[in-house]
Amino acid sequence: MALAKARSHPAETSHLALLRALERKVLWLATWMIHHANHVRENRDGLKVGGHQASCASAATVMTALSFHTLRPEDRLAVKPHAAPVFHAIQYLLGRQSRAALEQFRAFGGAQAYPSRTKDKTQVDFSTGSVGLGVGHTLFATLVQDYVRLHGLMPEGAQPGRMIALMGDAELDEGNVFEALLEGWKHDVRNLWWIIDYNRQSLDGVVNDHLFQKIQEFFATVGWKVVTLKYGKRLEAAFAGPGGASLRRWIDACPNDLYSALTFQGGASWRRRLAADLASDPGVARLLDAHDDASLHALMTNLAGHDMDSVVEAFDQARDDVPHCFVAYTIKGMGLPLAGHKDNHAGLMNPAQMASYKAAEKIPDGAEWDRFAGLDIPAAELEAFLAAVPLAKRAPPRLRLAPPLAMPTLDLPRAGAMSTQEGFGRIMIEVARSGGDFASRVVTTSPDVTVSTNLGGWVNQVAVFARTAHADVFREQRLPSAQKWTLAPDGRHIELGIAENNLFLLLAALGLAERQFGARLLPVGTLYDPFIARGLDALNYACYQDARFMLVATPSGITLAPEGGAHQSVAEPLIGIGQPGLTLFEPAFVDELDAVMRWGFDHIQRPDGGAIYLRLSTRAVEQPRREMTDALAADVTAGAYWLKRPAPGGTVAVIAMGAVVSEAIEALARIGEFTASAGLMVVTSPDRLHRDWLAAGPRSHTGRLLDELARDAALVTVLDGHPLTLSWLGGVLGHKIAPLGVQSFGQSGDIPDLYREYRLDAAAIVAAAQAALSSARR
Ligand SMILES: Cc1ncc(C[n+]2csc(CCOP(=O)(O)OP(=O)(O)O)c2C)c(N)n1
Ligand SMILES: [Mg+2]
């Protein structure tokens, strides 16, 4: 259609010519950027710099069409990681990326190896790098866009955009892509395009011949439109001419590896092979005679994913909001001497190859970075064209975020036995009841563990988010249930299937809502603590992009006793400490949890803040009768306080975290029988403490607290998790340390049995204190 229009309107032909010229320049700049980093720039450490010239070449046409023709200012694009240089080149042509950044590609402070929201100085919509995750992220971003829109939170005049992923075909091997697809189907997502760079090559080799059929089936099953971009206009025309039918049959049946090999070898090989295989068709002989080697090669590699006309036409025709999958047939290394070779993924052109490429592109020496050198179209015309592309109208991101909304003061029960998980549920119910702007921005999500992580009460108050309203059938039928699952477009809980990857990708999308869509959200996600490991790469991905959310993990540790070893988390506190962009808290009491959540909601809204991880427990423990003064709240959020201060110069301190604080209290009473001066410190955030200690040394919060003890005092640390979480406390002022915790898989049991077996009970704490004291005295 666009082609017909183009033929009748010369102005549009020149539009295509401009796109084709820019495509050549994009490929040149991307290739040169990588070459410069590897062969021109000084290399001080001898490490391979790398970059992916072949991956870039296969994406150049689609990226050019998207950036200079298709993308509207409100659209968002995830670029396959290895096409980063193409992305940087396009930003440079648009005047949004500096030449210095390109010269420093993969160097300190320069353009990043993989597009990064936080590290690149130009505007990146989605970070990519770990294949599959950027793709999944776009699906959840469109869900979040719908959430924001249906809640009336979109800024005045803002238009909903399309979330677009340009993905490698090997990304389809990542399970998270399919987990996301199914979840997207359940939520009826819209305005989503996935464009598969179908070069039929991955890192190690050539992909299966029949993958495209499976792709069609997967996507059609979940209601997507699949558009296949297979043959370019020149090949289509040849199919209609002499020998065309045979040629089409041959190429349709050609295995991917043979096609790749012939592409690498070029025109003479195509000729030999076609002449031999199609000798019986005289039309083919005529077709071959009508082409020299170069034009035969160009014809045989005229796949639609490299045919600007076909690409633009396909994108123009996708007008509705149904999710679209474009299968764009491409060639890895197209236009470069690397084309088609199965080993080309990390292949680099050598200086001689670059020199001839440069000569073919008519680029004079010294003009390698020039934005338009060597193109046949006058620079002024190209400049005017670039200034007028829709993407150029995109406003720069808002750098100043609105001030934090404060969590209201809540009326919480002050005594009795309660678990931190139950306390969390009550806090969420009170937040819902409090109403107001803060509560209206809170959005929760959970991968099928809403009820068992105690979010049920909140959901009863705020309803489940859905595009269309749906009553709770159990309620209508008057069947008793504690859960009222009304579905509504203004619901504030997003219910997910079990896949934890999806939880973290949704939290990434929710946690970027203000920066992506101009609407602040306060996302809270719940899951079982051990299953953080299941979605860990997606959690890391969310944090890498500086997404802001509160992750509430419960139950945790061996304290969920009868549930057994398969559900017991051991290493998760170390994840909390080690994960950049995420701050771990493990409160013991509900008043601490309240203070931590208040601090945490503020933290996720601050420019220099981050995401929060609360590790909670299902064990009901007696709550202290005390007032949460400002001073105590400050200590709790700093990470530790003395529940019982040691006498000056005390010789023993028990330092406990989370569910085992009760055991520490009991142990302290017994330790008091042999040393009256012992203290009990409660740690609420080993993460905050550790960070502060590294920054401030002995003057840190921990240093000040421990300074109340004698220098030769012994510390016994205890938590329901890996002992390394707290064992470093011995290094702060050089105290003797006896770390207790869990180092092996758990098993079923009750708390007394398990705490005895894993040495978390009062007896173990007392024994550790005695042993430490006696060895300190020796
Ligand atoms: C999760 C993850 N595993 C492995 C890699 C290493 N890796 C980078 S690219 C790649 C193959 C990519 O192939 P494809 O998606 O087809 O990209 P293209 O052919 O367009 O380069 C692999 C295995 C990675 N980046 N992320
Ligand atoms: Mg590939």
Side-chain angles (χ1 to χ4, degrees):
M1 228 173 91
L3 181 69
K5 240 175 40 192
R7 286 203 178 122
S8 56
H9 298 284
E12 298 238 344
T13 312
S14 94
H15 180 83
L16 273 180
L18 284 157
L19 288 175
R20 288 199 190 103
L22 289 169
E23 174 196 357
R24 276 177 54 195
K25 186 49 76 178
V26 164
L27 179 58
W28 162 261
L29 284 170
T31 312
W32 169 251
M33 195 184 312
I34 297 167
H35 182 78
H36 177 269
N38 285 276
H39 293 286
V40 181
R41 201 169 66 204
E42 185 198 3
N43 181 335
R44 292 185 303 185
D45 55 15
L47 271 184
K48 178 189 161 187
V49 179
H52 301 84
Q53 289 171 331
S55 282
C56 286
S58 103
T61 319
V62 169
M63 281 291 290
T64 303
L66 283 173
S67 306
F68 302 140
H69 176 84
T70 305
L71 287 181
R72 301 187 292 242
E74 60 274 20
D75 295 335
R76 301 285 179 267
L77 176 66
V79 180
K80 67 169 189 172
H82 301 82
V86 172
F87 171 78
H88 296 314
I90 286 170
Q91 295 297 309
Y92 175 63
L93 288 173
L94 286 169
R96 296 179 169 214
Q97 176 67 287
S98 68
R99 172 173 160 180
L102 304 195
E103 285 175 344
Q104 295 300 310
F105 171 62
R106 291 191 168 217
F108 189 66
Q112 297 295 298
Y114 307 114
S116 166
R117 281 187 62 88
T118 55
K119 297 285 185 289
D120 270 313
K121 293 182 182 70
T122 179
Q123 198 172 351
V124 173
D125 296 333
F126 302 96
S127 298
T128 53
S130 180
V131 298
L133 295 181
V135 179
H137 188 178
T138 58
L139 183 142
F140 290 101
T142 193
L143 178 62
V144 169
Q145 179 175 251
D146 277 346
Y147 181 96
V148 165
R149 194 171 52 79
L150 292 168
H151 283 76
L153 296 173
M154 219 129 175
E156 280 280 308
Q159 293 294 319
R162 295 165 296 190
M163 302 296 123
I164 302 177
L166 168 66
M167 60 192 286
D169 41 10
E171 295 197 68
L172 286 165
D173 287 335
E174 290 289 359
N176 87 273
V177 168
F178 298 90
E179 295 175 14
L181 264 186
L182 199 56
E183 197 63 51
W185 170 75
K186 292 185 216 164
H187 287 276
D188 192 15
V189 292
R190 306 296 174 98
N191 293 310
L192 181 62
W193 287 11
W194 287 358
I195 305 161
I196 301 172
D197 182 346
Y198 195 52
N199 58 26
R200 291 146 291 140
Q201 281 186 248
S202 60
L203 191 159
D204 284 337
V206 178
V207 307
N208 186 290
D209 284 329
H210 301 289
L211 181 64
F212 71 96
Q213 278 166 347
K214 296 297 146 196
I215 295 174
Q216 304 240 359
E217 290 164 18
F218 297 141
F219 284 86
T221 301
V222 288
W224 289 48
K225 281 192 188 164
V226 182
V227 179
T228 302
L229 285 153
K230 190 164 184 183
Y231 297 120
K233 301 287 177 194
R234 251 181 295 166
L235 262 177
E236 295 277 11
F239 294 154
S246 306
L247 182 67
R248 178 173 204 134
R249 268 194 305 279
W250 183 90
I251 197 166
D252 271 338
C254 181
N256 288 339
D257 47 7
L258 176 62
Y259 184 84
S260 294
L262 291 171
T263 298
F264 180 72
Q265 290 168 323
S269 298
W270 286 114
R271 186 178 304 279
R272 261 195 311 279
R273 187 75 196 209
L274 291 173
D277 287 0
L278 302 176
S280 59
D281 185 338
V284 171
R286 276 169 58 203
L287 182 139
L288 293 178
D289 286 346
H291 291 83
D292 65 12
D293 282 356
S295 87
L296 182 62
H297 180 67
L299 175 68
M300 293 306 291
T301 54
N302 177 235
L303 299 184
H306 291 301
D307 192 75
M308 189 60 79
D309 203 344
S310 308
V311 171
V312 163
E313 178 180 285
F315 291 166
D316 283 351
Q317 282 175 357
R319 291 203 193 87
D320 58 27
D321 66 359
V322 176
H324 274 69
C325 169
F326 297 90
V327 184
Y329 276 72
T330 56
I331 291 169
K332 200 155 171 168
M334 179 69 175
L336 306 178
L338 309 165
H341 198 289
K342 71 184 177 61
D343 303 339
N344 65 8
H345 182 76
L348 294 172
M349 284 162 68
N350 63 34
Q353 288 172 325
M354 271 312 282
S356 51
Y357 177 33
K358 189 169 120 178
E361 289 298 307
K362 294 183 268 173
I363 295 172
D365 282 342
E368 293 87 351
W369 295 107
D370 195 288
R371 284 161 74 237
F372 307 120
L375 299 181
D376 297 332
I377 301 170
E381 200 182 337
L382 289 161
E383 201 76 82
F385 175 78
L386 286 171
V389 302
L391 196 58
K393 294 184 194 67
R394 183 162 169 184
R398 290 188 312 153
L399 293 176
R400 272 175 58 86
L401 302 181
L405 300 164
M407 180 171 125
T409 306
L410 306 173
D411 190 19
L412 294 172
R414 290 183 172 268
M418 206 197 290
S419 69
T420 46
Q421 192 207 63
E422 186 186 347
F424 166 70
R426 292 207 187 191
I427 288 171
M428 292 302 291
I429 291 173
E430 290 304 320
V431 166
R433 288 198 181 126
S434 72
D437 205 17
F438 178 87
S440 75
R441 303 284 171 152
V442 175
V443 48
T444 59
T445 179
S446 184
D448 204 23
V449 289
T450 300
V451 174
S452 48
T453 55
N454 233 320
L455 261 183
W458 156 268
V459 177
N460 287 347
Q461 304 264 340
V462 304
V464 176
F465 171 69
R467 190 181 274 283
T468 45
H470 194 274
D472 180 351
V473 173
F474 269 66
R475 210 154 166 238
E476 281 186 342
Q477 301 288 329
R478 294 182 205 290
L479 293 171
S481 163
Q483 316 302 333
K484 293 177 243 146
W485 289 77
T486 310
L487 275 62
D490 64 352
R492 277 178 275 159
H493 172 75
I494 303 178
E495 180 70 8
L496 293 174
I498 302 174
E500 283 76 15
N501 267 310
N502 285 340
L503 170 74
F504 290 116
L505 289 178
L506 176 55
L507 286 174
L510 289 167
L512 291 171
E514 186 165 23
R515 283 163 281 171
Q516 293 267 32
F517 306 119
R520 172 156 316 167
L521 295 178
L522 304 171
V524 177
T526 69
L527 86 169
Y528 294 178
D529 198 48
F531 303 132
I532 286 180
R534 183 62 166 268
L536 197 51
D537 194 27
L539 170 62
N540 179 61
Y541 172 75
C543 292
Y544 180 64
Q545 300 190 77
D546 197 24
R548 304 301 182 79
F549 51 86
M550 194 177 279
L551 181 66
V552 181
T554 165
S556 61
I558 63 169
T559 302
L560 60 79
E563 281 278 322
H567 278 24
Q568 292 168 345
S569 59
V570 174
E572 272 64 9
L574 300 178
I575 292 173
I577 294 172
Q579 176 63 54
L582 186 72
T583 302
L584 161 71
F585 287 92
E586 185 164 340
F589 301 116
V590 174
D591 60 354
E592 294 170 6
L593 174 65
D594 181 48
V596 163
M597 286 180 71
R598 186 178 312 281
W599 185 90
F601 275 124
D602 183 81
H603 187 66
I604 67 174
Q605 299 177 72
R606 295 207 172 265
D608 57 349
I612 298 286
Y613 162 23
L614 305 181
R615 188 172 187 252
L616 304 185
S617 170
T618 41
R619 182 188 190 193
V621 296
E622 204 56 41
Q623 299 293 310
R625 288 173 187 277
R626 64 182 173 190
E627 197 191 334
M628 182 53 66
T629 60
D630 288 349
L632 180 55
D635 280 356
V636 163
T637 54
Y641 65 94
W642 287 112
L643 185 62
K644 179 184 175 291
R645 290 182 73 166
T651 52
V652 176
V654 178
I655 302 180
M657 180 168 89
V660 296
V661 166
S662 313
E663 277 57 41
I665 293 171
E666 191 189 329
L668 200 75
R670 289 199 230 160
I671 292 169
E673 291 164 15
F674 54 87
T675 167
S677 56
L680 171 54
M681 188 190 293
V682 172
V683 171
T684 47
S685 175
D687 192 1
R688 295 263 292 155
L689 291 184
H690 189 259
R691 186 168 289 266
D692 173 48
W693 170 50
L694 293 192
R699 287 187 310 286
S700 62
H701 184 63
T702 329
R704 285 201 304 275
L705 290 176
L706 291 176
D707 200 32
E708 302 199 19
L709 297 165
R711 273 304 130 102
D712 60 352
L715 315 180
V716 179
T717 57
V718 59
L719 74 147
D720 183 355
H722 199 280
L724 181 58
T725 311
L726 296 176
S727 61
W728 58 272
L729 286 167
V732 176
L733 297 181
H735 285 115
K736 171 135 197 96
I737 181 102
L740 300 177
V742 183
Q743 296 185 78
S744 48
F745 287 114
Q747 57 188 297
S748 292
D750 65 7
I751 287 180
D753 276 342
L754 293 182
Y755 280 13
R756 180 171 25 81
E757 175 69 17
Y758 292 84
R759 300 195 64 241
L760 301 181
D761 61 0
I765 298 170
V766 173
Q770 275 171 328
L773 264 183
S774 59
S775 76
R777 284 194 190 114
R778 248 182 272 127

